[in-house]
Amino acid sequence: SSKVLRGLEHPQLPRVYDTGELDDGSWALVREPFDGGTLESWITNEDWRGTPAEIRALLESLLEVLVVLHERVPPVVHRDLKPSNVMFRHGPTQPIARNPAVLVDFDTVASVVSKGETLVVSPGYSAPEQLAGQSSPASDLYSLGMTMVFVVTHREPDALERDEDGRVVLGSALDGLEPECRRVLRM
C-alpha cells in the first residue's frame, strides 16, 4: 500500500510522509492525520443526511478518485471501498464541496487484475466477483454504489431486500436525489 500511495498524488488520497520497518519487523505508514472522521461515523454517529447536492458531490468526488486509480497502467483496484474507508479532513459541518472525501486503507489494493487474488470481502460492499477471488475496476464501482446506498438509506446494504436478480430494492429511497444520481444508483 505504501508503494501505491507514494506513487500517487491527488487531493482525495492521503499524503504519505514516511514508511519504514519497526523493531518487531512490521511495517508502518505515516500519513496525514484526518480530523473529520469517516463516512461511516458521519452516518452512524452524526446521523448525517446530505442534501441532494451534497450526495451528488460526494458521489462525483469518489468517482473522480477512482478514475485516477483505474486509469493507471495497470489499473489500481482498491478492493475495499466502504464507508469506513472514506475519510474527511474536516467534520460534517463543512460542506462536501470544500471538504472532499479521501479514500484510505490501501492495504488490500491490487495493481494487477488477475484470477486467484487474495480474497477481500466486506459483506454488503464487495462485488460478487470478489467472492471468487477476482476483482477489476468494476468491483470498485460496485462498492461505491453500495457505499452510496448506505449514505442514502442509512442501512447496511446486506440488510436490504434484494430482487430475484440480486439487486438491492431501493423503493422510494432515491426519490429526493437529483435525476443523474438516481440513474447511476439504480444501474
Side-chain angles (χ1 to χ4, degrees), residues 45-108:
N45 300 337
E46 305 290 331
D47 195 35
W48 181 77
R49 298 191 183 266
T51 65
E54 288 174 317
I55 290 170
R56 179 183 177 146
L58 176 63
L59 176 59
E60 287 176 347
S61 71
L62 290 170
L63 282 168
E64 180 183 320
V65 75
L66 287 180
V67 166
V68 169
L69 296 174
H70 296 165
E71 286 184 344
R72 306 261 312 167
V73 178
V76 173
V77 181
H78 188 277
R79 298 195 311 164
D80 200 23
L81 199 159
K82 58 187 177 184
S84 62
N85 286 338
V86 175
M87 296 191 80
F88 298 90
R89 291 182 172 91
H90 309 287
T93 58
Q94 288 283 330
I96 295 287
R98 293 198 320 257
N99 188 21
V102 179
L103 186 57
V104 300
D105 192 0
F106 281 75
D107 292 342
T108 60

Side-chain angles (χ1 to χ4, degrees), residues 14 54 66 89 108 111 115 119 132 136 155 168-169 185:
E54 288 174 317
L66 287 180
R89 291 182 172 91
T108 60
S111 59
K115 293 184 178 187
L119 187 63
S136 71
R155 295 183 59 208
V168 173
V169 176
L185 293 178

